């Protein structure tokens, strides 16, 4: 689109980048942009309205880890990638026990 601001990032030579790696980088940079700019968007208006209504609002970023096998699906969140994946590993291990759905 004409008029878009684009930042180009050079990856280190020899760094293999999968489609998943590139998506994580894109999402990370988009998050930084969102966190660093004040806009008149609806979300800020919603936040201001909740605060005006007496709500104490806190928010933060987290990692989401998902696993799917057949019809079985698990999803966890964590403050770090390691935390989310560790919880997901524990959830998927439960499916190895007899009697677990």
């Amino acid at each position: 689109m004409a008029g878009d601001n684009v930042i180009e990032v050079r990856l280190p030579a020899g760094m293999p980048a999968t489609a998943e790696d590139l998506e994580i980088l894109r999402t990370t940079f988009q998050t930084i942009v969102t966190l660093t700019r004040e806009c008149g968007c609806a979300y800020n208006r919603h936040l201001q309205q909740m605060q005006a209504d007496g709500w104490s609002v806190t928010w933060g970023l987290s990692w989401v880890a998902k696993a799917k096998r057949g019809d079985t699906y698990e999803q966890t969140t964590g403050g770090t990638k390691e935390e989310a994946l560790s919880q997901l590993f524990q959830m998927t291990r439960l499916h190895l026990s007899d009697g677990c759905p």
Side-chain angles (χ1 to χ4, degrees), residues 92-101:
T92 60
R93 301 282 45 132
L94 291 174
H95 293 277
L96 299 178
S97 300
D98 289 336
C100 277

Side-chain angles (χ1 to χ4, degrees), residues 74-91:
E74 294 293 347
Q75 177 175 320
T76 62
T77 59
T80 65
K81 180 180 178 181
E82 292 77 16
E83 182 181 321
L85 288 174
S86 175
Q87 290 177 27
L88 185 63
F89 179 74
Q90 292 174 22
M91 296 298 293

Side-chain angles (χ1 to χ4, degrees), residues 1-20:
M1 294 173 77
D4 283 352
N5 292 323
V6 177
I7 297 173
E8 203 171 300
V9 177
R10 187 175 312 277
L11 299 177
M15 176 185 168
T18 65
E20 183 181 58

Side-chain angles (χ1 to χ4, degrees), residues 19-55:
E20 183 181 58
D21 294 334
L22 295 175
E23 180 61 17
I24 289 171
L25 288 170
R26 187 198 64 74
T27 303
T28 300
F29 290 128
Q30 187 61 55
T31 300
I32 292 168
V33 169
T34 302
L35 289 172
T36 58
R37 69 183 192 116
E38 289 293 326
C39 66
C41 63
Y43 299 113
N44 283 343
R45 289 193 302 278
H46 294 165
L47 174 61
Q48 291 168 354
Q49 183 62 54
M50 287 184 286
Q51 291 170 331
D53 292 341
W55 292 98

